[in-house]
Amino acid sequence: MHRNILNEINMNKLPNADDDAAFQAADAAHHLHPFTDYKGLAAEGSRVIVRAEGSTIWDSKGTAILDGMAGLWCVNVGYGRPELADVAARQMRELPYYNTFFKTTTEPATALAARLAELTPDGLEHVFFANSGSEANDTIVRMVRRYWQLHGQPDRNVIISREYAYHGSTMVAASLGGMTAMHKQTGMPLPGFEHIRPPYYLRDGGNMTPDEFGIAAAQALEERIQTVGPERVAAFIAEPIQGAGGVIVPPDSYFPEIQRICRRHGILLIVDEVICGFGRTGNWFGAETFGIQADFMTLAKGLSSGYMPISAVMVGDRVARTLIDEGGEFYHGFTYSGHPVACAVALENLRIIEDERLVERVRDDIGPYFQTRLRELMDHPLVGEVRGIGLIAGIELVRDKDGPVFFQPEGHAGTICRDHCVRSNVILRAVRDGMVTAPPLVITHAEVDHLVETVRRCIDRTQADLGL
Ligand SMILES: Cc1ncc(COP(=O)(O)O)c(C=O)c1O
């Protein structure tokens, strides 16, 4: 199949992946990849992925690779769904594009808005569409500031987030995020963004119980509000589980305390569900897993299972009523907001998740199995913690479990382990010295077994490489 496509490409005198070396040279010469060290990639050459099915992807050499990351935490219904391709083709033939700017809509956009209002928790009844998680979070920042402006408090514009948070890569989304390496490269965070410590129990828990620590970590929000001035703080943003930050799972006590603090100060609460949404934690949304009542919800990734670029902002009643009743025209939007093909695909994706009971599967069957099997790795001398819920997990490697003592320099051991996994044809990602995994919701029990056994072998090899 890939040969046909590539022959077509060749007819246009473009590089041909049948000749891997030439194709890799063309890729290195012309293609700037996201989050990539360009010289490093040019030396190594890109792996060309040509097809996929279920939880498996294939490269141009015919190697089958188990995708323990569901692409980038997004292919919830798994690869190779003909229904989604059919819906896209049908919608493209019927109406490939029309905008939703000037008092127009399309059937898929309105139907998806209504469906999302139904699926998300009560009080989130309005939807604004964008194309990526980053754009959705930018949209939220604009709505938050507009909300406080309309309430006569234009100086209430500071948004508090957390270290290691990931909310996207535009200037605003990266400022919301707590990735210092990103900040350092391009003068971020922009003014008006603050970061508190995350509820990272393994690193900061000390002698506290998880619940004591959850309260203490949430108190960092109260302290920062007092430092900034409660009259300046507009909103707090959090992922239910910090994904790209290393799968940091909050203790049960954390979010109730965060919620209390936000309510006490009238601060808007934004829950970024870009990773946790659409079944990953065993509920439709991470907010349900952690009992969070949010004023905004960021949705992307699993909304279309990555088959089309689409994101959505769920806007709570408090903000929606202000914007609708008092706001006049809101000067914000994207050419592709509510793109009919993306919306049609998202609707069909949601139908699949519901009809195949994938959320229940994660909650009752494959999620507990995945977590139980991964926790067997805790007996390995290098594994300091296995944490996660449903089909998202982090396996943190430490030099010594006693303490724990973390590796120095940070990230070295994690990278070695990740490279062993990739060479063994199982995709996991390294975050600092942790391995993170979030496979498609359709991963089988046998594939989970294969993933866990491969990871154990790769941790053994990492231990040998480090001479421990
Ligand atoms: C929690 C979270 N928010 C936002 C984003 C940004 O999404 P995008 O890459 O679609 O802009 C990501 C991406 O990984 C994410 O994990």
Side-chain angles (χ1 to χ4, degrees):
M1 145 105 149
H2 93 270
R3 193 163 284 274
N4 288 344
I5 296 168
L6 295 166
N7 284 346
E8 277 170 39
I9 292 173
N10 202 25
M11 282 166 57
N12 294 327
K13 306 222 176 345
L14 289 172
N16 182 343
D18 281 358
D19 176 356
D20 258 5
F23 194 83
Q24 286 171 336
D27 191 62
H30 302 295
H31 184 184
L32 295 175
H33 293 234
F35 284 93
T36 294
D37 171 344
Y38 301 117
K39 262 194 208 153
L41 179 66
E44 211 176 304
S46 314
R47 195 171 199 178
V48 188
I49 305 303
V50 293
R51 70 186 176 91
E53 184 71 39
S55 301
T56 303
I57 57 177
W58 279 266
D59 70 11
S60 55
K61 295 185 168 68
T63 312
I65 303 155
L66 178 62
D67 185 4
M69 283 306 298
L72 281 176
W73 331 72
C74 59
V75 188
N76 288 20
V77 299
Y79 298 96
R81 294 282 191 164
E83 310 95 306
L84 297 181
D86 291 346
V87 159
R90 215 179 307 133
Q91 185 60 46
M92 279 200 188
R93 275 193 287 268
E94 177 107 8
L95 179 69
Y97 173 75
Y98 199 70
N99 69 73
T100 51
F101 274 43
F102 306 117
K103 300 183 183 172
T104 54
T105 189
T106 63
E107 284 178 21
T110 298
L112 181 60
R115 183 75 186 107
L116 288 173
E118 205 171 65
L119 270 180
T120 51
D122 286 349
L124 296 164
E125 309 301 330
H126 291 83
V127 186
F128 191 102
F129 289 116
N131 310 289
S132 65
S134 304
E135 287 178 4
N137 281 325
D138 270 35
T139 298
I140 291 176
V141 170
R142 296 192 54 165
M143 286 184 173
V144 163
R145 291 189 172 167
R146 179 75 179 131
Y147 170 84
W148 287 114
Q149 196 182 52
L150 287 166
H151 278 273
Q153 299 181 59
D155 293 337
R156 193 159 176 156
N157 55 22
V158 174
I159 301 182
I160 302 180
S161 174
R162 302 178 296 178
E163 294 157 16
Y164 298 139
Y166 189 79
H167 297 296
S169 196
T170 59
M171 289 293 281
V172 163
S175 295
L176 274 177
M179 299 297 189
T180 45
M182 288 174 80
H183 291 169
K184 277 187 196 146
Q185 285 190 340
T186 36
M188 293 181 288
L190 297 171
F193 297 92
E194 298 272 331
H195 302 86
I196 59 170
R197 73 171 179 178
Y200 191 176
Y201 184 68
L202 184 72
R203 188 189 68 177
D204 298 332
N207 294 327
M208 285 183 263
T209 65
D211 277 343
E212 286 166 356
F213 174 69
I215 302 279
Q219 279 303 320
L221 175 60
E222 178 66 43
E223 285 155 26
R224 188 62 59 93
I225 290 168
Q226 295 309 330
T227 311
V228 172
E231 71 294 346
R232 296 276 333 276
V233 181
F236 175 70
I237 184 168
E239 302 155 74
I241 293 174
Q242 288 182 246
V247 183
I248 299 174
V249 183
D252 290 343
S253 59
Y254 181 75
F255 274 113
E257 185 65 13
I258 288 284
Q259 187 100 48
R260 264 194 294 279
I261 294 168
C262 288
R263 288 215 174 110
R264 191 181 311 141
H265 296 286
I267 290 166
L268 296 166
L269 179 54
I270 307 159
V271 61
D272 184 336
E273 295 270 3
V274 169
I275 286 178
C276 292
F278 304 104
R280 185 147 301 284
T281 66
N283 286 297
W284 274 92
F285 301 99
E288 294 162 310
T289 303
F290 292 99
I292 309 166
Q293 279 123 39
D295 294 291
F296 288 97
M297 219 181 228
T298 322
L299 305 175
K301 297 192 191 277
L303 170 56
S304 66
S305 287
Y307 279 65
M308 289 295 287
I310 181 169
S311 63
V313 172
M314 299 305 303
V315 185
D317 294 340
R318 174 180 168 195
V319 176
R321 286 272 52 96
T322 302
L323 293 181
I324 294 165
D325 296 340
E326 298 161 40
E329 181 171 347
F330 185 47
Y331 302 119
H332 175 67
F334 306 102
T335 300
Y336 302 127
S337 288
H339 192 289
V341 179
C343 289
V345 169
L347 273 168
E348 181 66 2
N349 171 64
L350 298 179
R351 185 198 63 71
I352 293 172
I353 295 176
E354 192 174 27
D355 285 2
E356 295 186 8
R357 300 180 59 77
L358 293 180
V359 179
E360 293 81 354
R361 180 173 194 266
V362 175
R363 187 188 63 208
D364 302 330
D365 174 16
I366 197 71
Y369 186 71
F370 183 67
Q371 297 296 336
T372 304
R373 290 256 28 217
L374 279 173
R375 276 170 180 69
E376 290 169 17
L377 298 170
M378 285 293 294
D379 66 7
H380 196 288
L382 249 56
V383 175
E385 186 174 58
V386 176
R387 50 183 183 255
I389 297 172
L391 283 181
I392 178 168
I395 306 142
E396 184 135 359
L397 306 183
V398 292
R399 181 166 245 290
D400 190 342
K401 287 177 197 252
D402 202 12
V405 180
F406 293 94
F407 282 106
Q408 292 297 336
E410 184 181 274
H412 181 57
T415 305
I416 294 175
C417 191
R418 188 268 321 275
D419 289 348
H420 279 304
C421 290
V422 172
R423 270 196 294 274
S424 308
N425 298 315
V426 173
I427 303 285
L428 271 78
R429 199 159 133 182
V431 179
R432 297 182 297 283
D433 291 299
M435 306 298 302
V436 296
T437 167
L441 310 191
V442 295
I443 190 169
T444 64
H445 292 76
E447 286 169 333
V448 168
D449 292 342
H450 178 62
L451 185 144
V452 174
E453 282 148 24
T454 305
V455 170
R456 180 180 287 280
R457 264 199 319 277
C458 291
I459 300 174
D460 284 342
R461 288 180 193 150
T462 304
Q463 186 179 12
D465 290 350
L466 293 169
L468 294 171

